[in-house]
Amino acid sequence: MAKQATAFDLALPPKDPGVPAYRWLYGALRDEILHGHLRPGTGLPSTRDFARQYGFARGTIVNAFEQLKSEGYIEG
């Protein structure tokens, strides 16, 4: 069965200019997880899709996802 692409709408807070983008994204996603807005089993978009949708470099997304993964917040 083919994977279905789903729209991923997440209201991210404004970025603090003094915080690196990957750190800001990591914190925003971590907060969404801790506050129950991203529930267990929720699929995140691919790093390429996420970067395209939100206008980040893919490396920024990869760094944030890797940090979340290393701390056990997401699986991949």
Side-chain angles (χ1 to χ4, degrees), residues 40-52:
T42 300
L44 293 173
S46 71
T47 55
R48 284 183 177 86
D49 288 343
F50 200 104
R52 189 176 315 111

Side-chain angles (χ1 to χ4, degrees), residues 23 25-36 38-44 64-76:
R23 251 343 252 182
L25 181 59
Y26 156 81
L29 291 173
R30 182 178 173 270
D31 286 347
E32 291 295 310
I33 292 166
L34 293 175
H35 289 105
L38 285 176
R39 304 197 40 89
T42 300
L44 293 173
F65 279 20
E66 286 298 319
Q67 185 66 38
L68 291 164
K69 186 177 172 184
S70 73
E71 294 178 11
Y73 290 108
I74 62 173
E75 296 176 348

